[in-house]
Amino acid sequence: MNQAASITWKSRWTFILAATGSAVGLGNIWKFPYITGENGGGAFVLVYLACILCIGIPVMIAEIMAGRAGRSNPIHSMLSLSRDAGGSRAWGVVGAVGMVAGLMTMMFYSVVAGWALEYVFQSASGSYSGAPAEEIEAHFGNLLSSDGQQFIWHSLFSLLTASVVAAGVTRGIGKAVEILMPLLLIFLLLLVGYSAINGNFKAGLHFMFDTDFSRLSGNAVLIAMGHAFFTLSLGMGAIMAYGAYFPGHASIGKTVLTIAALDTGIALMAGMAMFPLVFANDLTPGQGPGLMFVTLPIAFSNMSGGVFFGSLFFALVSIAALSSSISLIEPGVAWMEKRGWRRVPSTFLLGGIAWAGGVASIHYGAVFDALDYLTANIMLPIGGLLIALFVSWRLPRKVVLDETGMKGGPAFAAWYWLLRYIAPIGILIVFLHSLGLFSALGALF
Ligand code: PHE
C-alpha cells in the first residue's frame, strides 16, 4: 500500500471510530431498552427500525457530506455551503440551534452517565452481590433520591468530558474507542447468552418483536423517531463536525451503513439482554429510566465472577457515554475556536453551562424529563429535517453528487429520493400524528 492510500485508510477508519463512538452510548444501552419497555415493545421497535432506515441513514449521509464539503464546525459549514449555492445566511441557524441542542442534551446525559459511574463502584465493592431483586431495585431508588450522590458523579463525568474535549477530540479518544467497541460488543453478546439461559428468553423476545399496533400511541411514534435521531447523533451537528475530518474522496454510503448497523445491533442486544431478566424476575418492562440499573445488576449478582463482570460492564458503559458526550460539546467548542477563542477556556465555558444545567436536572426531575423530551423528540428531528431540505433542495444536485463520492448510480438515486421526499414528509407526518391531528381529522369526517 502506498503512503497516500494508507493515510486515507487511516483517516476513514479514524472517522468510523469517532462517529461510532458518538453514536453508541447511553442511547443504545440505557435509553432504547427503557423506552421500548414504556411504549409497549414490538410495534415501537418496528417504527424505530423504519425510522433508522428511511430517515436516519439518509440524514446521516447528508450530515457527513455537508461537514466534509464545508470543512468546518456546523455553523460555518452551513454558512459557507449556503453562500456558495447562492442561499441565505439564515441556514447558519441550523448549526447554531444544533449547538444549543448539544448542550441541552449534555444537561441530562451527564447525569445518567454519572449513575453509570456510581454503578462501577457499587459493582466493584460487591454491594449488590448475591442480593435479592428487591434490594437491587431499592438501591436505584436510593441513588435517585440522593441529590448529593448524583451531584458528585455528574460533576466527575462532566470533568472527564471537558478534559477530553479540551485536549482535542482527535487525540486519545480514537484509541479508546478502538478497544472499547469490540469489548462492549462481546460483553453484550455474553449478557444476551446469560439471559437466554437464566432469564425468560421467550417472553423477552415476544415482547420485543411481536408487533401489536394497538399499543402504539401517537406520542410513541414521535419517541421512536426522535430516538432514531438521538441514537445516531443526528440533527445537531455532532456528525457534521466529525464529517469535516472525513477523507476527500472516500464514499460515505458504506461507512454510514456500517455505523448504523453497529448502532442498531448494540441497541437490540441491550434489549435482548434485559427483557428476559425483566420477565424472569417479575419486574415491569415499563419501569422507566431505572431499567438497565435494575435488571443487569440482578444478572451480575447471581453470576460467578459477577463483581468483576459488573464493574467492567459499567466501566464500558461509562466510556461509551464519554465518547458520545464529547461530541455533544465539540461542535460548540469548534465554533468558538473559529471565532478566535482558545480551546481550553471555550471547553470550560460550554462544559460549565452544561454542568450547571445538569445540577438543575438532578434537583428537578421535571427539568430532566423536559430536556430529554425537547431535545430528542423535537429539536433533533427539526434539525434533521432542515439538513435534509438544505442538502437535497438548496445545494445543486451536481455538488451533492460530487461531494458524496457515490458517483450517480442506483444507490445515489435512492438516497437522494429518500432525502428529498421520504425523510422530510416522514418527519412532518410523525409531528402531525403526535399532535393528534389525524385522529382529529378522522373525527371530523
Ligand atoms: N448518540 C448518543 C447515544 O446514543 C447520544 C448523542 C446524541 C450524542 C446526539 C451526540 C449527539 O448515546
Side-chain angles (χ1 to χ4, degrees):
M1 200 189 277
N2 66 37
Q3 207 184 354
S6 77
I7 288 171
T8 307
W9 178 80
K10 195 166 176 240
S11 45
R12 177 168 179 265
W13 182 234
T14 310
F15 174 83
I16 293 183
L17 286 178
T20 311
S22 167
V24 175
L26 296 171
N28 307 63
I29 306 164
W30 163 73
K31 194 172 177 189
F32 172 74
Y34 105 70
I35 56 177
T36 299
E38 280 185 340
N39 291 289
F44 176 85
V45 173
L46 194 69
V47 175
Y48 155 78
L49 291 175
C51 289
I52 293 275
L53 212 62
C54 301
I55 303 176
I57 290 175
V59 169
M60 192 179 222
I61 296 175
E63 265 203 39
I64 297 173
M65 192 228 97
R68 170 162 78 176
R71 286 257 168 257
S72 189
N73 65 77
I75 299 180
H76 284 98
S77 286
M78 290 296 285
L79 279 176
S80 76
L81 287 175
S82 174
R83 192 186 50 228
D84 292 349
S88 148
R89 280 183 64 81
W91 286 107
V93 173
V94 178
V97 172
M99 210 178 90
V100 176
L103 291 185
M104 287 170 65
T105 305
M106 185 63 182
M107 292 175 186
F108 69 91
Y109 203 84
S110 60
V111 175
V112 182
W115 301 344
L117 281 178
E118 202 262 356
Y119 270 70
V120 178
F121 270 76
Q122 283 303 321
S123 311
S125 64
S127 73
Y128 60 67
S129 179
E134 305 79 64
E135 202 180 308
I136 291 175
E137 221 175 347
H139 174 76
F140 184 71
N142 291 342
L143 175 62
L144 279 200
S145 55
S146 165
D147 287 7
Q149 282 265 352
Q150 293 188 75
F151 176 86
I152 293 171
W153 297 107
H154 154 68
S155 303
L156 180 63
F157 185 81
S158 302
L159 198 65
L160 283 172
T161 304
S163 317
V164 177
V165 177
V169 166
T170 42
R171 252 190 282 160
I173 198 72
K175 262 273 157 298
V177 173
E178 199 164 11
I179 303 163
L180 161 89
M181 286 300 150
L183 210 58
L184 189 66
L185 239 142
I186 295 170
F187 236 87
L188 280 170
L189 269 175
L190 286 177
L191 281 173
V192 173
Y194 178 87
S195 272
I197 297 166
N198 299 296
N200 188 344
F201 204 51
K202 222 168 125 199
L205 291 191
H206 275 304
F207 180 76
M208 274 184 77
F209 299 111
D210 284 356
T211 47
D212 174 3
F213 280 96
S214 66
R215 292 162 92 172
L216 200 68
S217 65
N219 198 39
V221 177
L222 181 69
I223 294 172
M225 178 179 77
H227 189 65
F229 282 95
F230 185 83
T231 192
L232 292 176
S233 305
L234 299 176
M236 53 141 291
I239 291 295
M240 204 189 287
Y242 283 1
Y245 308 115
F246 200 76
H249 51 270
S251 170
I252 298 172
K254 268 193 225 114
T255 308
V256 168
L257 289 180
T258 312
I259 298 169
L262 263 172
D263 188 80
T264 309
I266 289 186
L268 292 177
M269 286 201 305
M272 287 194 283
M274 289 176 212
F275 287 115
L277 296 171
V278 166
F279 294 111
N281 291 286
D282 281 328
L283 304 169
T284 8
Q287 64 179 274
L291 187 69
M292 167 178 97
F293 295 99
V294 173
T295 51
L296 295 184
I298 290 178
F300 294 129
S301 78
N302 292 318
M303 190 185 285
S304 58
V307 169
F308 173 75
F309 286 126
S311 335
L312 192 59
F313 175 80
F314 283 109
L316 287 172
V317 171
S318 306
I319 302 170
L322 185 64
S323 66
S324 298
S325 64
I326 56 176
S327 71
L328 290 167
I329 309 270
E330 174 64 20
V333 171
W335 173 72
M336 288 183 73
E337 251 187 328
K338 177 102 175 180
R339 308 269 316 190
W341 283 62
R342 277 180 304 137
R343 179 162 272 269
V344 176
S346 316
T347 306
F348 281 90
L349 177 68
L350 297 185
I353 294 172
W355 172 82
V359 174
S361 59
I362 289 173
H363 283 288
Y364 307 102
V367 172
F368 181 106
D369 294 341
L371 285 167
D372 182 1
Y373 193 88
L374 202 64
T375 51
N377 304 332
I378 313 286
M379 294 174 86
L380 302 189
I382 291 180
L385 171 68
L386 292 173
I387 290 163
L389 293 176
F390 177 73
V391 169
S392 66
W393 290 94
R394 185 67 243 179
L395 296 183
R397 190 171 188 278
K398 190 178 166 326
V399 172
V400 176
L401 188 59
D402 289 349
E403 294 290 353
T404 49
M406 291 210 272
K407 310 204 177 63
F412 176 81
W415 167 69
Y416 203 60
W417 178 77
L418 283 170
L419 197 66
R420 268 193 117 162
Y421 302 105
I422 301 304
I425 295 172
I427 296 169
L428 285 177
I429 290 182
V430 174
F431 274 144
L432 295 178
H433 182 57
S434 72
L435 293 174
L437 215 72
F438 296 122
S439 37
L441 279 178
L444 224 73
F445 291 106

